[in-house]
Amino acid sequence: MRSWLDKYTNDKVRTQMYYAKQGIITDDMKEVAKNENLDIEFVRSEVARGRMIIPANVNHRNLKPMAIGIASLCKINANIGSSTLASDISAELEKVDMCLKYGADTIMDLSTGGNLDEIRKAVINHSTVPIGTVPMYQIIADC
C-alpha cells in the first residue's frame, strides 16, 4: 500500500500540502476524493490552501488515507493507551482492532507507561488509520 511514495523519496519535503501546491495529485488525494465523493481537483486545491488535510505520514506505509477539513465527512477519533499499571503491546493492538472494527477514522495513542517507543511502533505498523501521540507523555516517561 502507498507504493506511489517510492518515486518521491528524494524530495526534501514529502507532505500532501507540498505536492498539492506543486499541482501534483497524489494517489492519497485520489483515494480521499473517491471516499469523500469529492472532485479530485477540489481536494488538491483545498489541501494546497490548508483548508483540508490528509494526515498521511510517509513512514506509515499501511495507512488508508482520509481527509479532515472543509467539505469532508465527519470523522471519529478513538483514544487508546497503556499506563504504568497495564502495559502490554498485544492489548494495545487489540484496542486498535476494536477502534477499526467500530469505525474510528483516527486513533490517539495516549500511552504513559511501558516501552512507549515499542508500543507506538507496533500500533502504527498495525493500524490503517492515522495515529496521533502526545510527545509530552514521552518526555515525562523518560524523566
Side-chain angles (χ1 to χ4, degrees):
M1 192 177 285
R2 302 192 74 216
S3 60
W4 69 269
L5 286 166
D6 295 337
K7 65 182 173 183
Y8 295 105
T9 56
N10 293 326
D11 290 352
K12 287 184 181 181
V13 178
R14 297 173 65 197
T15 67
Q16 296 297 314
M17 180 181 267
Y18 171 79
Y19 295 123
K21 286 182 176 183
Q22 306 305 313
I24 298 169
I25 295 174
T26 67
D27 287 353
D28 288 354
M29 290 178 211
K30 289 176 188 173
E31 189 167 339
V32 163
K34 179 183 160 199
N35 294 340
E36 298 277 343
N37 198 27
L38 296 170
D39 177 76
I40 184 60
E41 178 53 30
F42 176 77
V43 170
R44 188 210 58 79
S45 67
E46 291 304 304
V47 170
R49 290 178 67 192
R51 295 180 2 140
M52 177 183 286
I53 65 161
I54 301 173
N57 186 308
V58 296
N59 297 312
H60 193 163
R61 304 296 286 197
N62 194 33
L63 183 75
K64 292 180 183 173
M66 51 80 76
I68 300 170
I70 193 85
S72 67
L73 300 171
C74 182
K75 302 301 185 284
I76 299 168
N77 181 61
N79 295 333
I80 65 170
S82 64
S83 71
T84 54
L85 300 176
S87 174
D88 175 26
I89 291 177
S90 63
E92 295 310 304
L93 298 183
E94 284 181 42
K95 292 175 190 177
V96 169
D97 289 339
M98 293 302 284
C99 294
L100 297 175
K101 177 180 178 180
Y102 290 104
D105 296 293
T106 59
I107 299 172
M108 195 69 183
D109 177 8
L110 304 175
S111 292
T112 58
N115 185 331
L116 299 184
D117 291 332
E118 197 173 289
I119 290 168
R120 288 190 183 125
K121 184 175 183 177
V123 165
I124 290 168
N125 287 336
H126 191 72
S127 178
T128 58
V129 300
I131 302 293
T133 63
V134 181
M136 185 56 76
Y137 291 177
Q138 179 83 42
I139 293 168
I140 293 169
D142 289 347
C143 288

